[in-house]
Amino acid sequence: MSRLKSCLLLFLALFSASESIAKEEKVEELNEEFTEALLLRPLPDRKVLAHFHFRSSAPPSRMYGRHHHIFPKSIYQLVHKFKVREMELSFTQGRWNYERWGGFDPISSSNAKPPGVELWADFDVAQDQVDDSWKNLTHALSGLFCASINFLEHSTSYSAPQWSFRSFSGKLRYGTLPREAVCTENLTPWLKLLPCRDKAGISSLMDRPSIYRGNYHSQRLHLKSDEFDTSEMCNGIVLEQTLTVVLRPDTFSGQVLQPSWSLSSLFGRTVNGKCSLSSSSNVYVQFEHNLVSEGDKLRKDSEVSENEIFIHEGFQNNHLFELSLPPKRVIKEAGNLQKEGSILYEFSVDESNEFEPFDLGLSWKVPVVWSCPQAPLQASRFLLGSGNERGAIAISMKSTRSNIVERAGYDEKECWLRVGIFQMVPWYVKVYYHTLKLFLDGEPQSSTENIEKILVSPSEDKVSPGVMEVILRLPCSVNTAALTLEFDKGFLHIDEYPPDANQGFDIPSAVIHFADFVANTSFHDNFIKEVPILSRLQEEIPVVSYTEVLLVPLTTPDFSMPYNVITITCTVFALYFGSLLNALRRRVGEEERLLSGKVAKKAGPLTLMISKLSAKLRGKPWEPPKPPESGRPSTNYKLIAKIVLVAGVAAAWQFYFQ
Amino acid sequence: MEENSKTGMAEGYWLKQLSMSPYSGSMYHGSPLLLSILGPLTVKKIGGLSSDLLCSLVSVVADFISAILIRATGRSLVRAHLHNWKSLGLDKLIKHNEVVPSGDVAALVYLWNPFTIVSCIGFNTSPIENMFVIMSLYGASAGLVPLAAFGWVIASHLSLYPIVLVIPVIFLLGYGLDAPPRKLFVLNNLQIGEERSADHVELKSPSDKLSKTNFSWWRVIIFFLWASIWTSYVLILCAISMKEYGGLGAMFKRTYGFILAIEDLSPNIGVLWYFFAEVFDFFRNFFLIVFHVNILFMILPLAIRLNHRPCFLAFVYLAVSSMLKSYPSVGDSALYLSLLVLFVNELAEMQFTFFLFCGYVGISLLSPVMHNLWIWRGTGNANFYFATAMGYACFQIILVVESVSAMLNYDRKIRKLCNKV
């Protein structure tokens, strides 16, 4: 009864004002919750990053029951059916530009994904059932998201990384589909999981043409559940859906000035109020610390005397830019001594409605140039060699010379940079792992010195992909590091080629992770714990970047040839068999006997007749003999007996196999 | 182009050094023993020599030993040839200088064959396999039973197909070297016996000749004894080296299973790779059986017809299996071509020899060109290369059939001569 009451209470509460919800939540621990947020960030190359963040959570069903008001039922069933502990599915189009858009912040580390579909899942089942669970999960997700995720079912397309991902349980499976095309048919089911879909709230900004027009588009679904843990401290299931798009504002603002934009110009839509089921719906505008310090510098240059205005103080009389709406709050990142933290402006969409739509705009006042924080090494991967027999994969990493200084008190000699590489290669690219070579600044190195840890599971033809996990230990002073691996190109059966075989085959992106670096934005204030997007930004996640997808052309056989090949080959072998047998069978003097038999046919000895008939049976062209007198019936008899025997065997065979 | 190339072996050795199964990764399909012997050569540099050079050196040494053994076998074959003619009473018909020293020629042909040289440069294991095959034949022809058994066991262990050589080896041990049909000897003995029964001058020679027609079971039994000893020895060694990686079962699956199932479809000079790349999946097993049984089907007729010529029988078996084997390489052709030269005296009247020679030259020139066009330049088509492979198969077929019929004709000729005498 009390459960029912609380549910009712919750139901009512959800429709009341948001502040009351916040209070309600503090009292009632077991509540489903949904929050929405949008983070906008100007990027140095005149583009804008829009990061939608939706989070739904359901309390553990042990305490809460199975009925949910907000949390999507399909996801709940998925978690329970396949005992998923953690899962991440991303659909991506375009490639994240690490050089321009940054590679050292939480958003790039967790939302820059390889093109196509990437899925990893950690299961809470016995070790021998993990693969079955994975297969079932791929099929379920394939149905849920209208994508060919079920291709990941084959053991050739997924792998079990041991330590490259966060889980060390050995129950994690990872697979990617680099060639999967991502479009609205994948977005619509993803939106269905949101309580308001795209009808209200921030998600109503997702105008399909403007989203898919962007330079980068990544929709991601992250699922975390501790449903199956026995401990008391349970969070239940947390579903996090993010959509990260990099858009290019249309507005014309001259060559020097960064383009000004507003929500309506970016998306062609405005927000008309929040999603009423959401407990918080905020819009954030983030300015990176490089931009902030650049702004500071500009301000110092121009107004050396007036130093009373701080950049984060006023938004209206800011020197650098102007926001069209007053922020609800300004959150400053806790920067350390060297660097200034980034700044977040928080806006709430609660007050907006149809008549007063929320349309945030940003216009620049001064031309400004800045760069995004970079990962310590910038990785790219390419192919070496020509021809279709062999080649080599090279991963080259260029030092960006950033962030190394920040690391606490290492002197230059003792300083080591640990770089992890995870690479999965399909079996038809037969990598020779003994050819692994490491070059530092162009000099070949003995691999034992710089490889801290290596795990190789070589590919097995038509069974499993080749997986390599390496942790490299590079000196900090290194400028470039390169890793090369030679491979042979495999030859497939004609059925194994995709329809456009001559396009080539994709090798999934390699994952480069920097174990010693964490990308997080720490804030001073405590209240941000309540806002999921901000707590997400604060989480310490390792810096991860993905390399390009490689396109390997493979040799193709002639696809129109099977019948020709089968018939020609069989003919040649029949020729061999027949002629060799004929050569062996031929007796001494047979020819002479046959010749003499021709002459002395009238005599017609029985033996000659039999030999002639047997020659005829073997298919030799033999002119019709004279009507034989006595031999004919007996040989006919034999023939009939043979035919009956063969027919009998055939009938028995048929009978046996039915 | 080759199945057990140096890179595959290096990969297998590297995996083994990392205490993984050398067979994980579908790169290496050879014997674990070969890996422990030759594996270190793929990595180490001894005396400033690069590993490529070392591996080629091993092949050269193996080829050289093979050539010496071929020469020895050829000499004994020529001796047997002369002896047989003499014992049949035909020695007046031939002049002595007509007999070509076929052993020397065959050894030279083996050493200077471009196919041998190519397989040396590429370092696949075929020179070593060839060496053991020839060792077995030499052992059997010289009467060294343990050596014959050793060669046969190792050769079959390395590449499976030489297992059919057990039949010629048994004939060699049982009847001795190649000779005209035994019936002739019996007839001849009878004639001689009739002629010379009156004067008991030469009692030794008929008994000597009669021994040729007897099958010495004793040596065959010893051969099998030795073979079982060597087999168990090899298997124990393999079991020890494969102990941690799945035992002998895994080894059989990855070596013989790989040969029998034709899993690798990369182009070689045979025709089966393209056939199995194109054939419909539901027929795959059927054709696998057909092609393998094709080798087995011919064993019995050949053995019946050529049992008096075991060395030639071995040549035919090797030629047939190198034509129908799953992953043929040029090294196999080098072996049977040099064995063919051993019978240059007997096969003097073989037909189409010039045509065959031109064919082999043409194929060996065209095939690399087509391979290069298709694989490296991407301008050719798979069919071009397949056509050369098909042509090569046809030439091999003609070679086998013609040599067999030439040999049978030769026997007929001897019989006629005997009847005349």
Side-chain angles (χ1 to χ4, degrees), chain A residues 101-147:
Chain A
W101 305 339
F104 199 71
D105 53 319
I107 290 188
S108 74
S109 288
S110 61
N111 289 294
K113 289 284 172 190
V117 168
E118 186 200 46
L119 172 70
W120 60 261
D122 191 9
F123 297 94
D124 200 3
V125 293
Q127 194 71 47
D128 56 330
Q129 292 165 11
V130 176
D131 287 320
D132 293 333
S133 298
W134 167 265
K135 281 168 192 172
N136 291 330
L137 177 73
T138 55
H139 276 271
L141 287 173
S142 170
L144 262 181
F145 290 100
C146 300

Side-chain angles (χ1 to χ4, degrees), chain A residues 309-383:
Chain A
I309 312 161
F310 288 96
I311 189 144
H312 53 271
E313 216 169 299
F315 62 96
Q316 301 281 13
N317 49 358
N318 192 302
H319 182 78
L320 216 52
F321 51 82
E322 190 177 339
L323 291 164
S324 67
L325 293 171
K328 199 172 96 182
R329 202 155 54 187
V330 177
I331 306 162
K332 195 169 185 304
E333 188 194 339
N336 48 23
L337 290 174
Q338 277 108 358
K339 65 161 192 181
E340 199 107 6
S342 62
I343 292 171
L344 275 172
Y345 292 88
E346 185 184 289
F347 303 88
S348 178
V349 295
D350 292 356
E351 285 87 36
S352 63
N353 52 43
E354 275 176 57
F355 310 106
E356 268 181 73
F358 176 82
D359 187 9
L360 179 70
L362 173 98
S363 54
W364 296 88
K365 287 179 180 167
V366 191
V368 63
V369 178
W370 79 100
S371 63
C372 287
Q374 303 279 318
L377 293 172
Q378 204 173 37
S380 70
R381 193 174 60 161
F382 48 89
L383 285 178

Side-chain angles (χ1 to χ4, degrees), chain B residues 8 11 28 63-64 76 79 121 128 140 147-148 177 181 184 194 196 228 272 332 336 367 392 402 407 414:
Chain B
E11 177 80 359
Y28 182 67
D63 278 340
F64 201 69
S76 52
R79 229 176 292 134
I121 293 168
I128 293 154
L147 187 69
L177 279 164
L184 289 181
E194 278 164 16
R196 304 205 175 155
S228 55
L272 296 190
D332 302 319
Y336 75 73
S367 182
Y392 182 64
E402 282 309 315
M407 190 52 100
I414 288 183

Side-chain angles (χ1 to χ4, degrees), chain A residues 146-157:
Chain A
C146 300
S148 35
I149 306 172
N150 56 327
F151 286 171
L152 290 175
E153 170 206 37
H154 284 282
S155 60
T156 50
S157 53

